[in-house]
Amino acid sequence: MAEILVLGAGLNGLVTAMLLAQDGHSVTILERDQAAPGDDAENVWQRWQRPGVNQFRQLHFMLPRWRALMQHELQAVLDQVIAFGGTRVNVFDELPPDLTGGRRDGDDRFDTVTARRPILEAAAAAVAQRTHGVSIRRGVTVTGLLTGRSLVGAAPHVTGVVVDGGAVLRAELVVDATGRRSPIAAMIESAGGRRPHEEREDSGFVYYARHFRSPDGSRPAALGTLLQHFDSLSILTLPCDNDTWGVGFITSARDKQLRGLRDTSAWQAALKLYPTAAHWGEAEPITDVQVIAGIEDRYHRFVVDGEPVVTGLVAVGDAWACTNPSLGRGASIGMLHACALRDLLRDVSPDQPEKLVRRFDEITESTVTPLYRMTLAFDRHRLNEIAADVTGQTYRTSDAGWAMTKALYAAALRDPDVLRGYASVMSMLSTPQEVLAAPGMAGKVLTLGANAPQYPTPGPNRAELLSAIVG
């Protein structure tokens, strides 16, 4: 059993620490932000400050894949989310019966438990705090890596970290879970190593979101899927905790004409134009319009040209790779990644540092990198489609995969079987290839969706949208 440092007390860091501690490791979590969450959901939402997380009060939704993993691995976290007011949701039960064909056997796989980000993190922190083998130290900033004798060429071998004030904390393994803003690549370079391979670009999206509270405990009826696509933008309508929900417009960062959505009146006027989403804005708002932009797609690899750039250190979740969060996959990918690390440490101990880094790279590339690539491909096509909308053109591409993605979305709104396949993909329960391989599914998708309108859900054209925003 190893002494392990986990950097970052976000959701992925907390989950990773708990999984490792359950296997007998001694885990210390180091978190830069000073404040602890507390145990009251409303205070957590109103008062808990996490300046290290720029999307802390933005929209969040936990996919059924995340719920299934948590139910198997960390049931106590789900229980704590519910104790803090989290919501049990089945994405099929939310939709109209004429769309779903009614409840079927197997639909319970679409069950999830969800909440706003601060409540989710507070719940995980509460469970981690009482998990044997886990210690959380807040207000500790890691300033550098402690290294020993290199074991693989010029790659630094990490034996701990240096924190603010110059103190040294030693460990047999350091796990970077510091998220989108991870400084580890620069720290490896400062320690004399090569930078990890990095792919980095602006995702190109901007979010304009608000949260609302129910006056009577009810929740708006879902008249369409949680993520709906329209001319020039997409809309998220997400159940949260404690009778709250979130609504967000997702636009291109280059679309200057839609920046008026920052204004509350313009935001509300625009939402009213969308019949399947307008009623989600007819309640008590608990936030003004919250904007998040400058979201980066980032991917790191710690084995470059066949050689590790560092040993004694691995990265999980968003610290390894992150994308535009509109598909809601970050927490599920992070949980899969954490489980992969836990399982690897059952076979390869930290006193085999080169083998550990190489094997974790192999496992990462085979299990979670394909999910990252699939998400990135979707985002790039969607951004190009929006760019075409802005200029009044129809997006054309030779990528047959995008054509099938569009057909699957359109056909899902017309057939209950396809809808379940589409929901399975969006819930990260199946890949598109697995869904389309089902007998008769590909043919049905092409028949119902190939010649469907570009945007099958009713909504305004661009001129109408711009008029509402300006007006």
Side-chain angles (χ1 to χ4, degrees):
M1 299 299 104
E3 294 285 339
I4 298 174
L5 289 175
V6 172
L7 312 184
L11 192 58
N12 286 333
L14 292 163
V15 164
T16 301
M18 286 185 278
L19 289 173
L20 298 180
Q22 284 183 347
D23 266 20
H25 301 291
S26 177
V27 186
T28 299
I29 305 174
L30 304 180
E31 169 55 49
R32 180 180 62 180
D33 290 342
Q34 177 71 46
D39 57 5
D40 177 82
E42 190 59 29
N43 282 337
V44 165
W45 174 252
Q46 294 287 351
R47 300 179 184 176
W48 190 21
Q49 298 301 313
R50 289 281 271 120
V53 183
N54 65 337
Q55 73 274 25
F56 193 55
R57 285 182 172 78
Q58 272 289 339
L59 302 182
H60 273 77
F61 184 80
M62 310 312 287
L63 297 180
R65 181 64 181 277
W66 179 84
R67 185 276 311 160
L69 288 166
M70 295 299 288
Q71 187 170 318
H72 185 263
E73 302 285 356
L74 293 170
Q75 176 67 47
V77 174
L78 292 182
D79 294 340
Q80 190 65 60
V81 173
I82 292 168
F84 280 177
T87 300
R88 298 180 187 270
V89 179
N90 183 289
V91 295
F92 260 78
D93 288 347
E94 299 291 302
L95 293 170
D98 60 350
L99 192 63
T100 65
R103 182 82 175 200
R104 296 182 181 178
D105 290 343
D107 283 351
D108 57 353
R109 69 187 186 276
F110 299 114
D111 289 344
T112 192
V113 174
T114 194
R116 292 167 290 179
R117 165 67 184 266
I119 281 70
L120 288 163
E121 191 174 307
V127 178
Q129 196 70 55
R130 59 178 185 259
T131 297
H132 177 72
V134 174
S135 173
I136 305 175
R137 295 180 57 182
R138 297 185 183 273
V140 178
T141 300
V142 174
T143 59
L145 300 175
L146 182 68
T147 60
R149 179 177 61 86
S150 293
L151 305 176
V152 183
H157 177 60
V158 175
T159 59
V161 298
V162 181
V163 300
D164 46 351
V168 167
L169 301 176
R170 298 184 182 275
E172 295 168 78
L173 179 67
V174 174
V175 180
D176 179 21
T178 53
R180 292 176 172 269
R181 297 176 174 179
S182 170
I184 287 298
M187 289 184 181
I188 293 172
E189 194 171 36
S190 296
R194 291 185 295 165
R195 288 184 72 93
H197 170 73
E198 182 177 65
E199 300 171 17
R200 182 174 183 173
E201 61 183 87
D202 191 317
S203 74
F205 292 98
V206 59
Y207 287 71
Y208 304 92
R210 302 190 77 188
H211 282 88
F212 295 85
R213 187 183 306 279
S214 170
D216 57 9
S218 63
R219 187 163 64 238
L223 303 181
T225 54
L226 299 178
L227 174 61
Q228 301 178 60
H229 303 296
F230 301 94
D231 185 333
S232 300
L233 54 75
S234 300
I235 296 178
L236 282 166
T237 51
L238 304 177
C240 298
D241 58 278
N242 294 290
D243 302 325
T244 66
W245 59 84
V247 184
F249 290 105
I250 309 167
T251 76
S252 168
R254 296 182 178 180
D255 193 346
K256 296 180 180 180
Q257 291 179 296
L258 294 191
R259 292 178 184 175
L261 290 169
R262 293 173 179 268
D263 177 78
T264 300
S265 297
W267 191 97
Q268 288 291 149
L271 187 64
K272 290 179 181 179
L273 299 178
Y274 297 90
T276 55
H279 59 295
W280 286 76
E282 297 172 357
E284 174 195 355
I286 57 175
T287 64
D288 293 327
V289 178
Q290 300 167 305
V291 182
I292 181 170
I295 303 168
E296 288 186 329
D297 295 322
R298 296 176 65 187
Y299 162 84
H300 295 102
R301 191 167 183 184
F302 294 81
V303 174
V304 180
D305 299 327
E307 295 298 325
V309 300
V310 69
T311 57
L313 181 148
V314 295
V316 297
D318 284 354
W320 155 72
C322 56
T323 64
N324 159 44
S326 66
L327 299 182
R329 292 174 172 170
S332 298
I333 291 175
M335 182 63 176
L336 284 167
H337 211 188
C339 288
L341 177 61
R342 185 272 314 275
D343 294 346
L344 175 60
L345 286 171
R346 292 173 175 173
D347 296 328
V348 182
S349 70
D351 62 10
Q352 301 170 286
E354 180 182 359
K355 184 178 180 180
L356 179 63
V357 170
R358 289 185 182 277
R359 286 282 304 278
F360 193 57
D361 174 74
E362 294 168 359
I363 292 167
T364 296
E365 289 301 298
S366 64
T367 59
V368 290
T369 294
L371 298 171
Y372 168 79
R373 297 292 181 198
M374 183 170 61
T375 305
L376 194 63
F378 178 92
D379 286 345
R380 286 174 173 168
H381 279 298
R382 178 59 183 146
L383 196 63
N384 288 334
E385 185 175 48
I386 290 175
D389 293 341
V390 172
T391 60
Q393 302 177 48
T394 300
Y395 177 51
R396 307 290 185 189
T397 175
S398 60
D399 184 354
W402 178 247
M404 187 60 83
T405 296
K406 293 286 290 183
L408 179 62
Y409 176 68
L413 302 178
R414 301 178 63 185
D415 182 272
D417 293 330
V418 180
L419 180 62
R420 282 169 172 79
Y422 174 78
S424 186
V425 172
M426 298 304 292
S427 299
M428 272 188 61
L429 299 171
S430 305
T431 66
Q433 292 78 11
E434 290 169 340
V435 167
L436 293 170
M441 180 62 74
K444 185 177 288 189
V445 168
L446 291 173
T447 299
L448 297 175
N451 297 312
Q454 181 182 4
Y455 297 112
T457 305
N461 60 36
R462 184 169 176 84
E464 293 167 335
L465 173 62
L466 295 179
S467 178
I469 292 172
V470 173

